[in-house]
Amino acid sequence: MEYVELALAKGRLVDSTLELFAEIGLVFPGYSKRSRKLVFTNDEWRVRLVLVKSADVPTYVERGAVDMGIVGKDMLLESGALVYELVDLGFGSCKMVVASKNEAYRRKVKPVVATKYPAIAQTYFREQGRPIETITLHGSVELAPLIGLSDCIVDIVETGTTLRENGLHVTEEIADLSARLVVNRASFKTKFERLSCFIDQVQAAVDSREARL
Amino acid sequence: MERLSRLVPNGVKDLSHQDLEYKQQILGEIAQLFRDRGYRQVQTPIFEYYDLFKELKGTLEMDRMIKVIDTDGKVLVLRPDATIPIARMAASQGADPDQLRRFSYVTSIFRMTDDPHNVQSREFTQAGVELFGGNTPSADVEVISLAIACLQRAGITQFTFDLGQANFFKALIQETSLADDELVHLQRLIEQKNFADLKRLVETLAIRGEVKQALRTVPRLYGPPEAVLEQANRIVLNSEMAAGISELSEVYTALCQAGLSQYITLDLGLINDLKYYTGILFQGYVHSCGRPIVLGGRYDDLSRQFGCDSKATGFAIYIDDLIAAAKNLERQNGHGIR
């Protein structure tokens, strides 16, 4: 039987995902936090797990380089990848928001928005008929309004601590986010039995977690 | 400074003589198959009026067409689609709308896409057929069987054709009075099989409970045909939905009788381009390609817009993806086409 390939976003989703997999009996003994290995297999399940940068997961899945992926909804929205978004895994919950020092940016003709998510920012403001200019940053986005690089930011918040400590607060909520199991459209059709069996087990594990809450 | 004279623009590429010969060989096989089944090859111009495509709202992304200004100021586009010009041509021939007419094409399609991963995203080759004048399931069966035969002839062994029914979802939507933006959102979540967000959205809609249940079930109606048809029948709310399912069932049964059941799955969540498709629609997938390699279906309303109410169905094969898949298979198995 062929291996099923799954791309997992490196970073905060790894531990929660492996915990969830352990609940359905799928373990990757080769994995440890300090290891630099990027590929792990479970020969019994015939599943191969690859760790990739979260922004790349939608690309891997859409292009069919892997059959499935686990990634935050933020990356799916940003990439606009055409994939099946089958399971909301329930963890990694956070929000996509607009944040600023004050409300002054709302009065600007064309406010400057610093963000790691230029597509999400453009879509959100354009749908409301509000022209903006985006500056794409790759980290510490909160810094941009403080040093006058931008009028506001579009970013994800979990607790809001980072925002508060940098003198920013949430001014608009764009979307609720969480981790998703996504599947390549062609794989879903051509490897239907393998994948649907796996997906059903993941969904069942998520459902039983929710039932316990 | 970049030496543009040595480069080609994004989204297009040169074909070496080996690549071109390979492509011609596959195209030759497919063209022969089209002729054998009674389809006559036609050709439409590279330039068309922008208005031809603009007036058919929802069929193509207007922003993605490559536009040129004519000397009289009119906007022209480079052929962004094969079917619409052929429907225009078929309507202009003054034939009886119910007369069966079979056309095929092999042509370049142009779109202004910026897919950095795809070197042929702006100019690619499609081969396909259009069957005008047939509105019975036998016409659907004819084109689906032909699409399957094309992949077989190209040496592809592992592929799946997914069949859907546009009328099933359209008839379900008639049970609601949703605003356009709600509908767009709903449709997108169903297409993505995004069960979690769909559930949340449906709960906020002001519609009857049985319609909510049906909307949530639609994206789950996929997989082995017998089970899907049975489940679909359980959420039927009106006679149009029932008719859609019985038509799909009839087409599936005929394909089974033709010995093609191994290639067929159903997906009633296949609801893309609903403004265009009016009945059975289908997508062909091969193992190694992440996108559908064949797109097709029934589009009964199109030629009426050109003044000739001819029912129609057809399909397009993405030849460049087909060649990539065939080469991939050849590498794995060490043998060529046929």
Side-chain angles (χ1 to χ4, degrees), chain B residues 190-230:
Chain B
I190 291 176
E191 273 170 38
Q192 292 173 337
K193 298 203 184 297
N194 187 337
F195 302 124
D197 290 340
L198 178 65
K199 182 179 169 192
R200 285 172 211 136
L201 174 69
V202 165
E203 274 163 13
T204 67
L205 298 175
I207 49 178
R208 303 202 309 277
E210 52 179 356
V211 182
K212 283 187 182 176
Q213 184 54 38
L215 285 173
R216 282 184 55 189
T217 310
V218 168
R220 295 186 188 274
L221 297 174
Y222 59 80
E226 284 82 5
V228 171
L229 290 169
E230 194 198 313

Side-chain angles (χ1 to χ4, degrees), chain A residues 12 92-97 99 142 155-166 168-170 173 175-177:
Chain A
R12 61 196 187 95
S93 297
C94 50
K95 276 189 162 61
M96 183 67 66
V97 302
E142 301 81 8
D155 206 6
I156 54 175
V157 289
E158 248 173 299
T159 58
T161 314
T162 318
L163 286 183
R164 274 194 300 279
E165 287 181 358
N166 289 290
L168 303 178
H169 63 275
V170 175
E173 289 189 1
D176 288 315
L177 308 168

Side-chain angles (χ1 to χ4, degrees), chain A residues 84-85 88 180 186 189 192, chain B residues 162 192 194 197 200 267 289:
Chain A
Y84 288 135
E85 208 178 304
D88 182 342
R180 305 295 166 106
K189 305 300 179 182
F192 178 72
Chain B
D162 220 12
Q192 292 173 337
N194 187 337
D197 290 340
R200 285 172 211 136
D267 189 349
C289 181

Side-chain angles (χ1 to χ4, degrees), chain A residues 96-103 105 112-114 125 141-142 145 150-157 163-164 167-174:
Chain A
M96 183 67 66
V97 302
V98 183
S100 183
K101 287 186 283 190
N102 50 46
E103 303 287 319
Y105 76 92
V112 178
V113 181
F125 283 98
V141 181
E142 301 81 8
S150 77
D151 298 305
C152 61
I153 64 170
V154 164
D155 206 6
I156 54 175
V157 289
L163 286 183
R164 274 194 300 279
L168 303 178
H169 63 275
V170 175
T171 52
E172 300 173 51
E173 289 189 1
I174 298 177

Side-chain angles (χ1 to χ4, degrees), chain B residues 30-41 100-104 129-132 142 146:
Chain B
I30 288 175
Q32 184 60 48
L33 198 54
F34 289 167
R35 276 194 296 278
D36 293 347
R37 303 272 176 109
Y39 288 80
R40 309 285 297 273
Q41 193 166 338
L100 281 179
R101 286 180 294 161
R102 293 179 173 83
F103 298 123
S104 72
V129 302
E130 314 296 347
L131 170 55
F132 293 95
E142 178 181 323
L146 179 51

Side-chain angles (χ1 to χ4, degrees), chain B residues 286-332:
Chain B
V286 300
H287 224 54
S288 54
C289 181
R291 301 170 290 207
I293 204 166
V294 180
L295 289 181
R298 176 163 287 286
Y299 54 96
D300 286 344
D301 295 342
L302 183 58
S303 62
R304 191 191 312 140
Q305 311 195 33
F306 303 116
C308 170
D309 191 1
S310 203
K311 307 302 178 206
T313 176
F315 65 80
I317 304 172
Y318 287 84
I319 294 296
D320 307 297
D321 290 338
L322 177 67
I323 288 170
K327 279 188 176 168
N328 201 350
L329 207 67
E330 208 173 299
R331 263 199 306 275
Q332 282 170 14

Side-chain angles (χ1 to χ4, degrees), chain B residues 30-319:
Chain B
I30 288 175
Q32 184 60 48
L33 198 54
F34 289 167
R35 276 194 296 278
D36 293 347
R37 303 272 176 109
Y39 288 80
R40 309 285 297 273
Q41 193 166 338
V42 294
Q43 193 178 340
T44 64
I46 284 191
F47 298 114
E48 295 267 5
Y49 283 118
Y50 177 57
D51 295 46
L52 169 63
F53 303 94
K54 192 182 74 184
E55 280 162 18
L56 302 163
K57 282 203 177 65
T59 49
L60 290 165
E61 290 183 82
M62 312 308 296
D63 298 346
R64 298 251 182 256
M65 293 182 199
I66 301 180
K67 297 160 192 104
V68 183
I69 309 292
D70 203 348
T71 50
D72 60 2
K74 297 219 170 32
V75 182
L76 308 176
V77 292
L78 269 59
R79 186 193 301 114
D81 168 84
T83 301
I84 295 169
I86 291 177
R88 171 186 52 66
M89 184 173 109
S92 70
Q93 290 178 336
D96 172 6
D98 296 326
Q99 185 199 335
L100 281 179
R101 286 180 294 161
R102 293 179 173 83
F103 298 123
S104 72
Y105 60 86
V106 175
T107 193
S108 288
I109 304 292
F110 303 91
R111 294 196 192 145
M112 191 58 92
T113 42
D114 277 322
D115 181 353
H117 310 290
N118 186 352
V119 291
Q120 278 165 288
S121 59
R122 290 183 175 178
E123 180 188 6
F124 51 91
T125 305
Q126 281 189 344
V129 302
E130 314 296 347
L131 170 55
F132 293 95
N135 66 345
T136 57
S138 65
D140 297 295
V141 173
E142 178 181 323
V143 297
I144 295 167
S145 313
L146 179 51
I148 290 174
C150 287
L151 295 198
Q152 287 172 326
R153 187 69 73 94
I156 309 285
T157 45
Q158 281 191 315
F159 58 87
T160 303
F161 272 72
D162 220 12
L163 270 55
Q165 166 62 280
N167 292 345
F168 184 75
F169 184 71
K170 281 185 192 173
L172 171 56
I173 287 304
Q174 281 167 15
E175 299 287 324
T176 72
S177 50
L178 295 174
D180 275 355
D181 57 334
E182 283 175 323
L183 208 52
V184 167
H185 194 187
L186 183 70
Q187 221 169 306
R188 193 168 52 217
L189 294 179
I190 291 176
E191 273 170 38
Q192 292 173 337
K193 298 203 184 297
N194 187 337
F195 302 124
D197 290 340
L198 178 65
K199 182 179 169 192
R200 285 172 211 136
L201 174 69
V202 165
E203 274 163 13
T204 67
L205 298 175
I207 49 178
R208 303 202 309 277
E210 52 179 356
V211 182
K212 283 187 182 176
Q213 184 54 38
L215 285 173
R216 282 184 55 189
T217 310
V218 168
R220 295 186 188 274
L221 297 174
Y222 59 80
E226 284 82 5
V228 171
L229 290 169
E230 194 198 313
Q231 267 183 294
N233 271 317
R234 273 190 244 139
I235 61 158
V236 162
L237 296 173
N238 55 40
S239 59
E240 284 97 350
M241 287 175 82
I245 291 303
S246 86
E247 188 182 56
L248 183 60
S249 164
E250 198 176 325
V251 168
Y252 171 65
T253 308
L255 289 168
C256 290
Q257 281 161 359
L260 302 173
S261 62
Q262 57 176 313
Y263 300 118
I264 308 294
T265 59
L266 300 188
D267 189 349
L268 286 159
L270 207 62
I271 55 168
N272 53 330
D273 300 330
L274 279 189
K275 288 196 176 125
Y276 184 78
Y277 290 118
T278 58
I280 305 283
L281 68 162
F282 55 96
Q283 297 188 339
Y285 291 93
V286 300
H287 224 54
S288 54
C289 181
R291 301 170 290 207
I293 204 166
V294 180
L295 289 181
R298 176 163 287 286
Y299 54 96
D300 286 344
D301 295 342
L302 183 58
S303 62
R304 191 191 312 140
Q305 311 195 33
F306 303 116
C308 170
D309 191 1
S310 203
K311 307 302 178 206
T313 176
F315 65 80
I317 304 172
Y318 287 84
I319 294 296

